[in-house]
C-alpha cells in the first residue's frame, strides 16, 4: 500500500509449487475474481494501516 495515496502498489503471493513468497509491483492493481473470491481476498488483505483487511472498513466502500 502507498500510505500517502492510500492505494495498492502491488501484490504479494505464495507460489503453489515452491511455496515461495513473491511480490509484484505495478502502476495499477486490479482484483479480478468471482464475487465470493474477491470478497474473501479483500477481507484477508490485512496491512499495518488496515489490520482487519481492506474490506472491513466503511471508508473503503464510500461513494462519491
Amino acid at each position: 500500500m502507498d500510505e500517502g495515496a492510500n492505494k495498492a502498489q502491488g501484490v504479494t503471493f505464495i507460489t503453489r509449487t515452491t511455496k515461495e513468497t513473491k511480490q509484484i509491483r505495478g502502476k495499477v492493481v486490479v482484483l479480478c475474481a468471482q464475487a465470493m473470491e474477491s470478497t474473501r481476498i479483500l477481507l484477508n488483505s490485512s496491512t499495518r494501516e488496515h489490520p482487519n483487511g481492506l474490506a472491513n472498513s466503511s471508508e473503503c466502500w464510500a461513494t462519491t
Side-chain angles (χ1 to χ4, degrees):
M1 292 292 294
D2 177 354
E3 296 170 12
N6 199 29
K7 292 184 179 183
Q9 291 182 321
V11 296
T12 302
F13 63 96
I14 300 172
T15 61
R16 185 180 353 170
T17 54
T18 64
K19 307 293 188 225
E20 289 180 274
T21 300
K22 304 222 177 196
Q23 190 173 54
I24 298 176
R25 294 187 177 267
K27 292 181 182 180
V28 176
V29 176
V30 177
L31 174 59
C32 184
Q34 52 104 341
M36 292 302 289
E37 188 64 12
S38 293
T39 303
R40 185 188 70 78
I41 291 168
L42 287 171
L43 289 169
N44 288 312
S45 60
S46 62
T47 64
R48 273 179 277 146
E49 295 79 22
H50 303 280
N52 295 321
L54 293 173
N56 288 321
S57 171
S58 59
E59 35 183 273
C60 293
W61 304 106
T63 58
T64 56

